[in-house]
Amino acid sequence: MTRLFLASIAVVTALAVVPYAIEAQEPTPKKGSLPKSNQVYVKIIWSIDPATQDNDRPVVESWIAEQLKKSGQTKFTAATGWVPLAREKTTRVWEGGVVCPVRGVVERADGRIKVHLSGWSPNANEGVTVSLRDEPGSREIAVAEVFETEQPYVAVLIGPPSEKPIAATDHKK
């Protein structure tokens, strides 16, 4: 009787452990859904004294300030907060003027991301392009050499994939 009891406990224990040994399968992706990709953010920084501007400006993060100071730039202020760029669409990043909204577009290829911003002025058709690794935490700063005096800088930051797709929006000054 004791053997029968111990054998039944062993069987019940084995059945309770078996489900834990089975590996879970990934759910089948929805048909037509786009693969998740890392989110790209941009911020525009101007090479002007922040004391001459209003105090309601977005913050300039320490990694941006350090890099600008290393390149010899001592006066700078943020023109925008972090603006998420829409995937596969052009995104309005900043209203530099009624005629010249700055727009950004993202291209992805071979594990790299290229961010191109243009529209700085009617005379500045080239814009600025920043290329970096397509992985969260990648970041870069580039100067947009489009004006003779004050130079705008573009900070680009790669974040993890967004839960919701980012739609192109109009960001005001």
Side-chain angles (χ1 to χ4, degrees):
M1 184 75 162
T2 305
R3 277 189 177 175
L4 183 61
F5 178 71
L6 291 175
S8 63
I9 289 177
V11 169
V12 170
T13 304
L15 290 175
V17 173
V18 169
Y20 293 108
I22 298 172
E23 289 187 34
Q25 294 179 337
E26 292 293 321
T28 306
K30 294 178 184 175
K31 201 171 206 175
S33 67
L34 294 172
K36 288 192 174 193
S37 57
N38 294 322
Q39 182 61 54
V40 180
Y41 298 92
V42 296
K43 179 182 265 197
I44 297 176
I45 312 292
W46 280 99
S47 59
I48 55 176
D49 189 358
T52 63
Q53 301 296 311
D54 60 11
N55 292 333
D56 197 23
R57 289 280 185 197
V59 68
V60 176
E61 286 77 2
S62 61
W63 67 270
I64 297 172
E66 289 172 15
Q67 194 165 344
L68 291 175
K69 287 176 183 176
K70 284 180 184 177
S71 68
Q73 187 57 253
T74 58
K75 297 178 182 178
F76 45 85
T77 189
T80 68
W82 288 105
V83 179
L85 296 183
R87 185 171 55 191
E88 301 174 6
K89 293 181 183 178
T90 300
T91 305
R92 186 172 283 187
V93 176
W94 181 60
E95 287 290 334
V98 177
V99 180
C100 312
V102 176
R103 291 181 167 85
V105 66
V106 176
E107 296 176 22
R108 298 173 191 273
D110 301 324
R112 306 244 351 133
I113 290 179
K114 274 189 189 178
V115 176
H116 183 74
L117 279 88
S118 61
W120 299 94
S121 77
N123 301 328
N125 294 328
E126 296 102 32
V128 63
T129 301
V130 179
S131 178
L132 59 165
R133 289 186 319 265
D134 187 359
E135 58 186 48
S138 294
R139 57 190 185 189
E140 190 65 50
I141 298 175
V143 63
E145 297 178 6
V146 293
F147 302 109
E148 290 182 21
T149 55
E150 299 166 347
Q151 295 298 318
Y153 292 85
V154 176
V156 180
L157 176 65
I158 308 300
S162 176
E163 291 298 318
K164 298 177 185 175
I166 303 296
T169 58
D170 290 342
H171 293 277
K172 301 289 183 203
K173 196 171 175 183

